[in-house]
Amino acid sequence: MPVKITIIGLGQIGASIGLALAAHKDKVFTTGHDKDYSVEQRAKKLGVVDETNHNLPSSVENADLVILALPLNEIRETFGHIAQDLRNDVVVVDTSPVKAEVVKWAQEFLPETAHYVGVVPSIGPAYLDMTVSGLDSAKADLFEKGIFLISAPSTT
């Protein structure tokens, strides 16, 4: 049975993660959500995700892993919107570069049955000179040879 992954935020980071995961269709099934409906639809056409769900709470209902690829100023509110609909033992990952505040928000909003992990991905050297952003700049290998910082609370 494939791992169910929901990606919230289908800009450069979220879409690149989705494109990388698309190479493993036999192991994962991805659902995408973006506040911009047209971005969701384009992401699906580009093969970034298997399906889209514009209803934020229901997009996470059956997910084993939820990835928040959002600007920092949207994370707290998003935690509040999805908290009640997360299944037991879900792993919630955020990709923002700020962790101390996000950890506080995760503790404030996420249920005890959810496991929070903070990740800071860095773009691989092949794309360091890229000046575009958003869905159009997504690459399956965007993070290749890049370094990921993982910040997990002791309770994870």
Side-chain angles (χ1 to χ4, degrees):
M1 180 185 240
V3 175
K4 294 179 182 177
I5 301 173
T6 297
I7 303 171
I8 301 173
L10 297 172
Q12 181 184 42
I13 302 297
S16 293
I17 292 169
L19 287 172
L21 290 169
H24 306 281
K25 295 263 186 220
D26 58 323
K27 297 178 183 152
V28 299
F29 183 84
T30 55
T31 300
H33 171 86
D34 195 277
K35 64 182 178 183
D36 184 334
Y37 182 76
S38 66
V39 169
E40 285 180 357
Q41 297 311 300
R42 285 185 48 235
K44 185 174 179 190
K45 282 183 183 178
L46 293 170
V48 170
V49 292
D50 297 310
E51 70 176 13
T52 61
N53 187 333
H54 198 63
N55 181 298
L56 179 58
S58 70
S59 73
V60 302
E61 281 180 344
N62 297 310
D64 300 303
L65 172 64
V66 175
I67 301 170
L68 278 67
L70 299 169
L72 179 64
N73 66 335
E74 295 179 15
I75 294 174
R76 185 176 191 275
E77 183 178 6
T78 301
F79 280 161
H81 286 301
I82 67 172
Q84 289 184 321
D85 296 286
L86 296 169
R87 71 167 193 77
N88 287 345
D89 291 325
V90 65
V91 176
V92 179
V93 174
D94 92 281
T95 61
S96 81
V98 176
K99 294 299 166 219
E101 282 301 308
V102 178
V103 168
K104 289 178 191 174
W105 299 335
Q107 291 169 342
E108 178 182 352
F109 288 102
L110 299 182
E112 289 184 19
T113 59
H115 309 284
Y116 167 78
V117 177
V119 174
V120 180
S122 67
I123 293 173
Y127 296 108
L128 288 177
D129 61 348
M130 186 181 340
T131 58
V132 294
S133 61
L135 178 59
D136 294 325
S137 66
K139 309 284 184 200
D141 62 343
L142 185 68
F143 307 111
E144 190 171 303
K145 297 185 181 176
I147 297 172
F148 275 62
L149 165 74
I150 299 174
S151 172
S154 61
T155 56
T156 299

